[in-house]
Amino acid sequence: TVREIIDLLAENGVATKEDLEDACANFAYEDYDFLDDDKIGTIDRMEGFLFPTTYTFDKNKTAVFAVDTMLTMFKNEISQQMLEDIKNSPYDLKQIITMASIIEKGGRLLQLCSSINYIMVHDGISKFDTTIESPYNTYIHEGLTPGPICNPGLSAIKAAIYPADTDYYFFALGTDDKSHFFTDYNEHLRFINSAEYQPIYS
């Protein structure tokens, strides 16, 4: 997430946490039309667009330079062909990146532990609770979350643009530490109510 990236950059001396938060929230980046101007003033506008890869930063550069480098990498990784294919799909770029972030976190669009985890980190909530009132709570609200829940990599972005043709819509972690996939919701429910299911949170 943006918060984790800021913490990581600060821990490694790229810039101070305060400067990084300011660079994410307030700087007017002009070359990136995918950033939501309505969210200026909050670091949330960067969620999904700080491309995750290995970077070498000059500690003498500014926090804005570091953020700009990651935004440039995102822009460079999304090819013109991918942009064209998104344009010809039912979704816009933000929706694709939101889907990709859910894929990155290993989820689907309904009842995601990853969406609750995002709310906990975002809102500073310590207890896992599927009844938290938030537009990001996929246990309560169907469909896409309002925005990305992390910064997805290229493979997740491509998976969102070019989804596999499959009927396996449900999955859960088993006590064998493997994900078990199901085409039928009732089969999925039977599994998570069995001794073979391993809850992520207790």
Side-chain angles (χ1 to χ4, degrees):
T1 67
V2 171
R3 285 160 180 76
E4 291 169 326
I5 289 171
I6 287 173
D7 287 344
L8 191 61
L9 292 174
E11 285 168 15
N12 284 278
V14 174
T16 67
K17 184 173 180 176
E18 293 73 22
D19 284 350
L20 289 160
E21 287 177 343
D22 185 56
C24 285
N26 301 313
F27 190 79
Y29 299 91
E30 296 179 358
D31 295 332
Y32 312 109
D33 57 7
F34 47 79
L35 293 179
D36 189 348
D37 290 338
D38 291 340
K39 287 189 174 179
I40 199 157
T42 170
I43 63 174
D44 292 344
R45 71 182 180 135
M46 294 294 165
E47 198 74 79
F49 303 109
L50 298 180
F51 194 80
T53 189
T54 302
Y55 294 92
T56 301
F57 290 111
D58 182 345
K59 294 181 181 181
N60 295 315
K61 299 280 189 181
T62 64
V64 167
F65 180 85
V67 173
D68 188 72
T69 298
M70 300 179 85
L71 292 172
T72 298
M73 184 63 77
F74 174 87
K75 189 174 181 179
N76 290 342
E77 288 292 328
I78 308 299
S79 69
Q80 285 302 312
Q81 184 61 58
M82 290 164 71
L83 289 173
E84 190 65 28
D85 291 337
I86 293 170
K87 189 177 178 181
N88 292 326
S89 80
Y91 308 103
D92 61 25
L93 178 63
K94 181 184 175 185
Q95 290 171 316
I96 288 290
I97 297 304
T98 299
M99 280 188 263
S101 73
I102 291 167
I103 293 166
E104 186 74 42
K105 288 292 188 180
R108 298 286 172 129
L109 302 184
L110 179 66
Q111 299 187 346
L112 304 173
C113 291
S114 54
S115 71
I116 303 295
N117 189 50
Y118 178 78
I119 299 165
M120 291 170 67
V121 172
H122 186 274
D123 296 340
I125 297 169
S126 57
K127 186 172 185 273
F128 184 86
D129 181 2
T130 58
T131 66
I132 297 169
E133 183 46 58
S134 167
Y136 283 86
N137 185 349
T138 55
Y139 283 81
I140 296 173
H141 303 286
E142 293 184 11
L144 286 175
T145 52
I149 60 172
C150 72
N151 294 271
L154 190 60
S155 60
I157 294 170
K158 285 183 175 179
I161 301 171
Y162 311 110
D165 186 10
T166 179
D167 292 327
Y168 288 96
Y169 296 118
F170 312 98
F171 75 96
L173 186 66
T175 52
D176 57 2
D177 287 328
K178 294 179 181 177
S179 290
H180 294 254
F181 295 84
F182 306 92
T183 58
D184 180 80
Y185 185 58
N186 289 324
E187 288 178 17
H188 171 71
L189 285 178
R190 275 195 292 274
F191 180 80
I192 63 174
N193 287 313
S194 74
E196 296 176 73
Y197 173 58
Q198 178 176 301
I200 298 174
Y201 300 96
S202 58

